Amino acid sequence: MSVGNQMKAASPKRPVAKPIAARDFYAKQGISSPYAIFDLLTDTFYFAKNADGQFVCANKLLQEKFNLQSADEVIGKTDFDFLTHDVASRIRDDDLAVMAGSLVIKDKFEVVVGVDGKLFWLFTTKVPIKNHKGEIVGVEGFSRDAERSQNIIEPFQVFKASIEFMQREYMNDINIAQLADLSCMSLSTFERKFKKHFSQTPMQYLKHLRIHHACKLLAAGYGIKRAFSETGFCDQSYFTKEFRSVTGMTPRQFFLLSGQKNEQDEELELV
């Protein structure tokens, strides 16, 4: 089993797969399935999930995003099967809040790393799915590909250079003032607008980016020392603290879940 799948199994937010139930979702709930016209959308992903977070419907564009051949390959699976643990966890939290009625998501801007490492700039809207009795049984929504909708992305385009710089230089020391210069803003304006548009500070975004790449190194079997030293962290103690805050587990736990083991790491003090 790969580290990704093992990690998903360990997460308390990771739903248990029930593909048969997912396939029968619409019939069992007594509601109509989504219109086939959603498959004709060229700039918008459509998705529907049951209360367990499993996909019960996905249009063709979403299937293409995940490099799948048909809808059969997505039904019954969850975001944890396709996205990094931290991104999938945030999406799951949003889904649960929408179903609980405590959150309204409309045109939320999200930056998601695809299966091929490509950035997706998305505007997501979600609403609860109700059965014939009016009970909330899932969540559905649209995610518009911002790069295909230039009129929507216009206010965010100014951050493109700084985001790409962080994607390229995450392993090095990055000065926020330098990012502000790339966006042609003062430091205070850049930090304020970045947080407004991305719901996190530039440093928080950079931290998640570094942890994402550290996970990839650990999953590939590289040691913990290499994982933190090649992703911009100054020492193992700080790396462990930040890693746990994002993934919910220590680097050691993640590494052991991967099934990887080498002599170099047995010599390390794994916090």
Side-chain angles (χ1 to χ4, degrees):
M1 182 183 292
S2 67
V3 60
N5 289 332
Q6 291 169 320
M7 198 177 150
K8 295 161 198 166
S11 170
K13 297 178 182 177
R14 173 68 163 91
V16 177
K18 301 174 185 176
I20 296 179
R23 295 180 194 282
D24 294 339
F25 176 77
Y26 292 100
K28 293 183 67 174
Q29 299 300 337
I31 54 179
S32 301
S33 58
Y35 296 108
I37 196 172
F38 289 160
D39 280 336
L40 301 180
L41 296 173
T42 59
D43 65 349
T44 302
F45 305 111
Y46 171 78
F47 56 87
K49 308 170 195 173
N50 62 18
D52 291 327
Q54 300 158 319
F55 286 100
V56 296
C57 186
N59 70 346
K60 288 185 178 179
L61 194 63
L62 186 61
Q63 296 164 31
E64 292 174 6
K65 172 188 175 183
F66 292 147
N67 291 336
L68 305 177
Q69 299 302 313
S70 69
D72 289 339
E73 296 182 58
V74 68
I75 304 303
K77 295 185 178 179
T78 76
D79 291 296
F80 289 88
D81 292 300
F82 304 109
L83 304 172
T84 58
H85 186 270
D86 57 315
V87 172
S89 292
R90 291 199 301 271
I91 292 175
R92 180 61 176 160
D93 286 341
D94 283 350
D95 290 349
L96 291 172
V98 168
M99 288 187 286
S102 60
L103 179 66
V104 175
I105 294 182
K106 182 178 180 181
D107 285 333
K108 177 181 179 180
F109 186 71
E110 301 176 303
V111 179
V112 177
V113 181
V115 291
D116 56 359
K118 179 182 177 182
L119 284 177
F120 287 89
W121 301 56
L122 306 173
F123 285 88
T124 299
T125 296
K126 298 180 181 180
V127 296
I129 297 176
K130 296 182 179 181
N131 63 15
H132 66 287
K133 297 180 181 179
E135 301 167 330
I136 294 177
V137 293
V139 62
E140 66 178 341
F142 295 97
S143 288
R144 286 175 290 170
D145 188 330
E147 288 189 319
R148 305 188 190 197
S149 306
Q150 289 301 319
N151 60 321
I152 300 175
I153 198 175
E154 191 70 27
F156 301 89
Q157 195 69 29
V158 68
F159 296 105
K160 190 172 188 295
S162 59
I163 291 290
E164 290 180 342
F165 182 83
M166 284 190 279
Q167 287 284 325
R168 187 173 62 252
E169 301 291 334
Y170 66 88
M171 71 293 295
N172 300 317
D173 289 334
I174 294 181
N175 191 314
I176 303 302
Q178 184 178 12
L179 299 177
D181 288 341
L182 289 172
S183 299
C184 300
M185 299 180 193
S186 67
L187 177 59
S188 59
T189 298
F190 175 76
E191 291 183 319
R192 174 171 53 81
K193 290 189 173 182
F194 192 99
K195 185 172 183 178
K196 176 183 177 181
H197 291 304
F198 294 92
S199 299
Q200 57 186 322
T201 67
M203 288 307 298
Q204 288 172 331
Y205 178 87
L206 180 60
K207 178 179 74 173
H208 281 84
L209 182 62
R210 286 170 169 167
I211 294 298
H212 166 66
H213 284 281
C215 285
K216 292 174 67 175
L217 287 172
L218 292 171
Y222 293 108
I224 295 175
K225 182 176 181 180
R226 179 170 178 177
F228 79 76
S229 64
E230 293 190 6
T231 52
F233 291 94
C234 57
D235 62 69
Q236 186 176 332
S237 177
Y238 178 67
F239 171 64
T240 297
K241 176 183 176 182
E242 296 300 293
F243 191 97
R244 183 190 292 137
S245 72
V246 172
T247 67
M249 62 179 68
T250 66
R252 179 179 185 274
Q253 291 171 324
F254 184 96
F255 185 81
L256 294 176
L257 281 173
S258 73
Q260 305 289 348
K261 193 173 183 181
N262 57 45
E263 294 180 0
Q264 177 185 2
D265 278 282
E266 292 196 351
E267 295 175 357
L268 291 175
E269 179 183 354
L270 302 182
V271 181

